Amino acid sequence: MSDRSTEQAALERANLDARIAFVAASFLLAYAFAALLDRVGAPERFVGAAPPYFTILGLATLGFLLHSMRASVYYTAGRGLPAAYAGFANAAIVIALMLPFGARLAGGGWAVGAVAGVFIGLAAAGLYVGPLLRKTGVFSISELLCARFTSSATRVGFIGAVALSSTLLAAAGGLIAVNALVELTGANRGFAAFLIAAASLIIAGPGGLSGVMWAAAAAAGVATLGFGWPIAALGLHDALPSGLIFGGAASAEAAKLLESWGVTPAPMGLPVEFASTVAVALGITTLAPVLAASVATGDGRSARRAGVAALFWTLVIALLAAAAIAASALSLARATAGQPPERLPQTVYQASERGLVSICGYYVRGPSEAQRACAGKGYAPGAPLAAAEIRPIDGDVLLGALPQTAELGAASSGLIASALVAIGLALATAGLQACATAFGHDALYRLRGEIDLTSRRLAVNRVTLVIVSTLAYVTAVTGVFTPGALVAAALAVSAACLAPSLVLAFWPRAGDREALVALCGGAVGLFSALAAAGSPNRIEIYALCALAGVALGGALGLLSGLTSKSDKPAARAFITRMLRGDAQMLQPDKGA
């Protein structure tokens, strides 16, 4: 490398670091100002609501300032995202995927089950599949599969599977952010849904993957601060229970509380938990938004370093979230222990009025209603309630309730709300961008013979963004689905429809026919199992249905390959170049 190129690279990195320092300082100053307002006695509702709205404004501004009309920037962030920031950004996306099942983090379910599957899948995606995508020069996993299996039917199937799973994740991320605004700031649901949809478009629309990745990196910083500050504050005041994580005494107590409240579902047995681990891992490994960070790095080695960073930061933020949920559960139990229904803390009545905490099985508006509700269950006036009679609806509520139950102030509430909104936006925009890439690049450009102009592709991308954002807005307003159901469905689609074909891509005997039957078998197996399950309400049910699709699709693809001609020179050559060849094995994108 020449001295001039080295000097230019150093100058570009210095400019990048300066911009990152400016963004970080802006967020920190805004949150510090909210804390100052809290100290001088500003209205609690304003202090708690200001940080999340500033976070939305800041992330939207960051995405808008990164606007570009270059395909290389729009689809791959210019292949220049540093590995450390790519991993940090990916951590925000993965944490958002885990958030609907956040109570399991504090409930001790790390060794096997959905949480374990997320980390195993992230390791596989970040350390192998992602670097493989970057090495081959593709823009997405669907483009790699379409290059390996070139028939029109398989291409349409792969693109459709990626688009469907990404749309589900975009809706889930938007719903996470909307729920945080509604539950923690008291915002109107319609207004919150419109604001999140508009912010998602502003982040993903002008700058594409560049805007999404840098906004996600900022969201990861907000999440680290938002989840970490309450824990640090409790530690500074010697109010943090010892052993909040990794099976300590406080962790075991919190796990029992969460199970008694029904926040953490009862285990379904080791075989089911193991099957869930496998299915979730396959879904994460093939999930387009999770693989996007690898595509944005400079080369395969950078992509692998980004995978290591993503694992590290995901673990750190997950531990902070687990500690916050456990601390909130313990604080809530201690604040209400031995209290009659008419003498509970005011914050409990306020949460119950908003439908976040039930008292004796009812949502009440005050002490008198609580007393009447508990009288129906045999509690005499003044009789203390059992801990199980006061139930939060999910782990997100406990996460947001920590500042009130631990009396940390409105500014801490605003920080946690900001963290939830930020990672929700990170997942929503990553899903939007992955879906738009599937249509604008994989379908319109590659499928049509690489003849479309860049301006037309980007226009199709932005139309796709508007359509998907509208669907996400409708989902958030109507509340038909929960974030957990949307995330579980996305993982199931990705695992059942893409994982078998990805495995077949490394088998020389597999051709277009094998990929098609594996894809169709996976889809039929998944949706047939979902139909038989009726209304699945747990990620384990979705995981079992996905595993049925994986088994059926893989078996059909294997049988088809064994009965086909063993000599497929084109397939063997592709695999050799994919595994041991040089980079950019596909024909380069004209716009890049």
Side-chain angles (χ1 to χ4, degrees), residues 391-484:
R391 294 172 177 261
I393 59 173
D394 56 31
D396 291 357
V397 170
L398 286 171
L399 198 58
L402 176 59
Q404 288 88 7
T405 56
E407 299 181 352
L408 296 177
S412 293
S413 298
L415 271 178
I416 287 186
S418 298
L420 295 173
V421 168
I423 60 177
L425 275 173
L427 180 60
T429 54
L432 284 174
Q433 174 60 19
C435 182
T437 298
F439 283 115
H441 176 74
D442 301 342
L444 187 66
Y445 184 66
R446 294 295 190 190
L447 198 56
R448 284 168 53 89
E450 305 172 4
I451 58 175
D452 279 286
L453 298 174
T454 299
S455 58
R456 180 182 298 176
R457 293 160 58 195
L458 297 185
V460 170
N461 265 53
R462 285 159 180 159
V463 170
T464 303
L465 293 176
V466 172
I467 294 173
V468 176
S469 294
T470 303
L471 292 175
Y473 167 79
V474 173
T475 301
V477 170
T478 58
V480 176
F481 303 103
T482 63

Side-chain angles (χ1 to χ4, degrees), residues 332 335 344-352 354 357 401 404-405:
L332 179 61
L344 297 174
Q346 188 62 32
T347 55
V348 175
Y349 297 127
Q350 293 172 352
S352 183
R354 297 202 301 270
V357 175
Q404 288 88 7
T405 56

Side-chain angles (χ1 to χ4, degrees), residues 185-241:
T185 70
N188 175 269
R189 177 165 288 274
F191 169 76
F194 175 80
L195 184 64
I196 294 301
S200 301
L201 280 175
I202 294 172
I203 293 170
L209 188 61
S210 179
V212 168
M213 285 292 106
W214 285 113
V222 174
T224 305
L225 179 64
F227 297 153
W229 172 249
I231 300 301
L234 288 173
L236 291 174
H237 291 88
D238 293 327
L240 187 67

Side-chain angles (χ1 to χ4, degrees), residues 101-488:
F101 321 107
R104 299 165 192 258
L105 297 173
W110 289 62
V112 67
V115 175
V118 169
F119 280 101
I120 294 172
L122 180 59
L127 302 181
Y128 186 75
V129 179
L132 182 66
L133 297 185
R134 180 61 193 94
K135 176 185 176 182
T136 55
V138 298
F139 286 5
S140 64
I141 186 172
S142 54
E143 186 179 7
L144 178 67
L145 293 175
C146 290
R148 172 67 174 85
F149 306 109
T150 57
S151 71
S152 298
T154 55
R155 288 184 171 191
V156 170
F158 295 141
I159 292 169
V162 168
L164 177 58
S165 61
S166 300
T167 299
L168 292 170
L169 291 182
L175 193 53
I176 290 171
V178 170
N179 287 345
L181 286 176
V182 173
E183 294 171 1
L184 301 182
T185 70
N188 175 269
R189 177 165 288 274
F191 169 76
F194 175 80
L195 184 64
I196 294 301
S200 301
L201 280 175
I202 294 172
I203 293 170
L209 188 61
S210 179
V212 168
M213 285 292 106
W214 285 113
V222 174
T224 305
L225 179 64
F227 297 153
W229 172 249
I231 300 301
L234 288 173
L236 291 174
H237 291 88
D238 293 327
L240 187 67
S242 60
L244 271 179
I245 55 176
F246 294 135
S251 174
E253 184 182 353
K256 290 180 181 178
L257 281 172
L258 293 171
E259 187 173 352
S260 67
W261 288 336
V263 175
T264 301
M268 299 181 69
L270 185 59
V272 174
E273 296 294 330
F274 180 76
S276 300
T277 304
V278 174
V280 171
L282 290 174
I284 293 289
T285 302
T286 54
L287 206 57
V290 173
L291 296 169
S294 299
V295 171
T297 55
D299 52 37
R301 291 182 179 179
S302 296
R304 190 165 285 109
R305 290 197 300 270
V308 174
L311 275 171
F312 171 78
W313 284 111
T314 301
L315 179 61
V316 169
I317 301 174
L319 289 174
L320 291 175
I325 293 172
S328 181
L330 294 174
S331 298
L332 179 61
R334 289 167 186 170
T336 57
Q339 296 294 328
E342 65 272 15
R343 294 180 185 174
L344 297 174
Q346 188 62 32
T347 55
V348 175
Y349 297 127
Q350 293 172 352
S352 183
E353 184 177 3
R354 297 202 301 270
L356 307 179
V357 175
S358 66
I359 301 174
C360 293
Y362 294 90
Y363 300 114
V364 302
R365 291 177 292 181
S368 59
E369 289 190 10
Q371 188 179 50
R372 288 196 298 270
C374 294
K377 299 191 72 173
Y379 284 94
L385 293 178
E389 299 294 354
I390 301 173
R391 294 172 177 261
I393 59 173
D394 56 31
D396 291 357
V397 170
L398 286 171
L399 198 58
L402 176 59
Q404 288 88 7
T405 56
E407 299 181 352
L408 296 177
S412 293
S413 298
L415 271 178
I416 287 186
S418 298
L420 295 173
V421 168
I423 60 177
L425 275 173
L427 180 60
T429 54
L432 284 174
Q433 174 60 19
C435 182
T437 298
F439 283 115
H441 176 74
D442 301 342
L444 187 66
Y445 184 66
R446 294 295 190 190
L447 198 56
R448 284 168 53 89
E450 305 172 4
I451 58 175
D452 279 286
L453 298 174
T454 299
S455 58
R456 180 182 298 176
R457 293 160 58 195
L458 297 185
V460 170
N461 265 53
R462 285 159 180 159
V463 170
T464 303
L465 293 176
V466 172
I467 294 173
V468 176
S469 294
T470 303
L471 292 175
Y473 167 79
V474 173
T475 301
V477 170
T478 58
V480 176
F481 303 103
T482 63
L486 293 171
V487 170

